[in-house]
Structure formats: structure tokens, C-alpha cells
Amino acid sequence: MNEEIKAEIIFVLDDDNEVMTTAVEPHSNLDEENKQMNRELIKKHESIIARVEKGEKLIQEDLLLIRDANEIHLNDEDNINGHHRQAVQLNDWVDKMTELTKKQAMKILEEHLDRDSHTPAKVYRALHTLWEEATPDDLVVGPLFDDEGKCLKCGSKVSFADTVDTMVFVGNEIMKRHNGDITNRNCVKCNYPGQYPEYEHYDKE
Ligand SMILES: [Zn+2]
């Protein structure tokens, strides 16, 4: 992380904290629930700032929070706050650091190809073929959980799963629903570290 990026991360988080600090003051009209959310976000921002200052590695959730805080400066095209150029730079950096799912990667490629009216159809076909190969039937390849449903990588018991249900439509009305199978199961701790704290207690039980 270069010094300019570092300084900009600290700037956007501090700037956002300043706004939120005003919003949580006793005389503010904000309801208690939103005040509480602001307080938690301020703490998260402070933690990111501390880690950036120490040169520690950031996690994906940090990048999302930085992206959110940077947005106002990114949209400030008239440069009223004087940070537009830096915001564009920071946004590019966050893009580079953010992990993509295969679906997101595919979408980005498609969008770029769409911009060029000369992209031949076979390029799209090639892209879709690669996508199919990367995710046969959208199933995750290889065992990811042991017999007891624990993640083979980290041992956590908590996972998110998608199911595909089949519904019978007659006209626009659903007549029947067949409960589907699990098509996609992911360890929350490994794949959604930002959401894991919410479920962490299950692993401790
Ligand atoms: Zn795991």
C-alpha cells in the first residue's frame, strides 16, 4: 500500500466518522437504533485506521467499508471537498484488492465486452464455456466439509447453503413446489468473514 493510498483511506474514514459523530450527539434527531449503528461503524473505521497506520493487512469487509466511505468523494466530480482525484485512485485500488466471485468476474468481463460493439458472438460463447467449466452445474468441486459438516479448512460448523426449488406454474400461479437440493454450500468463516461474528457462538457451543 503506497503512502498516498494510506493517507486517503485515513482521510475518508476520519471524514465519515466526523459526520457520524455529529449524528450521535444527544441533541441529534437520529433514533437510538441508528445512533447505535453509527457508533459501531465509527469503531470499525477506527480499527481500520489503526491497522492501516501499523501497516497490517486489511480484510475484505474493511475494503467494503472503505469503498462506502470513499463514495461521497468519488461522486464529488466538481471536487468541492478537494479529494476527487484521490478518491478515484482509492476506488481503483479497492477494486484491485477486492476478491471476485466467479459470477462477478464473469459480469465484469461481459460488461467490458458489451462496450465494444465489434465483440464477436464467439467471444461471449468462449466466456460462457469457461464459466461452465469452472463451475460444472454450479457445484463446488471436491469435499469442503467433513462427515459432521465441519469446514475442512478451518473446522467451523457454520455454513451458508443455497437450495434450488422447482415450482410448477399454471399461468402466473404457483401450483406446486418441490423442495430442492443444496447446490452450493460455503463455510461462513472462510467465505463471509464479515458475517461470521454473528454466528460465531454456534462454533463455541
Ligand atoms: Zn472454513
Side-chain angles (χ1 to χ4, degrees):
M1 193 188 297
N2 73 40
E3 289 305 315
E4 211 177 349
I5 293 289
K6 236 184 196 177
E8 188 61 11
I9 291 173
I10 294 168
F11 171 80
V12 298
L13 296 178
D14 267 340
D15 189 56
D16 204 16
N17 275 0
E18 216 170 285
V19 176
M20 287 191 292
T21 303
T22 312
V24 299
E25 276 170 10
H27 60 77
S28 127
N29 295 328
L30 206 64
D31 62 56
E32 193 45 42
E33 196 182 329
N34 276 305
K35 279 187 181 176
Q36 192 50 35
M37 277 167 62
N38 275 3
R39 286 190 203 103
E40 281 164 24
L41 197 52
I42 290 170
K43 265 191 232 150
K44 282 185 184 172
H45 284 175
E46 282 169 351
S47 146
I48 297 172
I49 291 171
R51 278 177 288 134
V52 167
E53 281 172 343
K54 276 188 257 170
E56 285 175 21
K57 204 170 175 284
L58 300 178
I59 61 168
Q60 292 294 309
E61 189 199 4
D62 299 335
L63 296 174
L64 291 179
L65 294 178
I66 292 169
R67 189 195 290 281
D68 286 347
N70 189 40
E71 206 179 342
I72 184 167
H73 304 287
L74 188 65
N75 293 336
D76 176 21
E77 280 172 22
D78 297 331
N79 202 25
I80 293 163
N81 294 315
H83 273 259
H84 183 63
R85 182 188 62 77
Q86 294 90 330
V88 171
Q89 213 173 22
L90 178 56
N91 194 56
D92 287 345
W93 180 83
V94 170
D95 275 347
K96 258 183 266 163
M97 300 298 288
T98 306
E99 284 167 17
L100 297 177
T101 63
K102 285 179 189 133
K103 246 183 209 152
Q104 287 166 328
M106 175 101 164
K107 212 171 149 229
I108 289 172
L109 285 173
E110 266 187 331
E111 277 170 4
H112 272 265
L113 293 174
D114 279 343
R115 264 181 235 158
D116 179 359
S117 56
H118 300 295
T119 304
K122 74 174 181 190
V123 173
Y124 290 95
R125 276 192 53 212
L127 182 61
H128 283 266
T129 305
L130 290 175
W131 161 247
E132 292 286 327
E133 266 186 29
T135 56
D137 304 323
D138 267 1
L139 284 169
V140 177
V141 189
L144 296 172
F145 299 92
D146 69 9
D147 300 345
E148 290 166 18
K150 283 188 192 160
C151 170
L152 291 177
K153 220 159 101 191
C154 73
S156 167
K157 289 185 286 189
V158 189
S159 56
F160 287 155
D162 297 325
T163 60
V164 173
D165 294 347
T166 301
M167 284 175 281
V168 180
F169 273 82
V170 175
N172 284 324
E173 216 180 313
I174 298 168
M175 304 300 285
K176 227 176 179 181
R177 180 194 288 264
H178 300 283
N179 290 336
D181 293 319
I182 290 175
T183 57
N184 202 349
R185 184 175 173 192
N186 293 300
C187 169
V188 177
K189 194 176 178 184
C190 291
N191 295 285
Y192 308 97
Q195 280 161 274
Y196 182 64
E198 220 175 297
Y199 304 96
E200 197 173 3
H201 63 280
Y202 289 118
D203 276 330
K204 287 181 181 152
E205 274 165 14

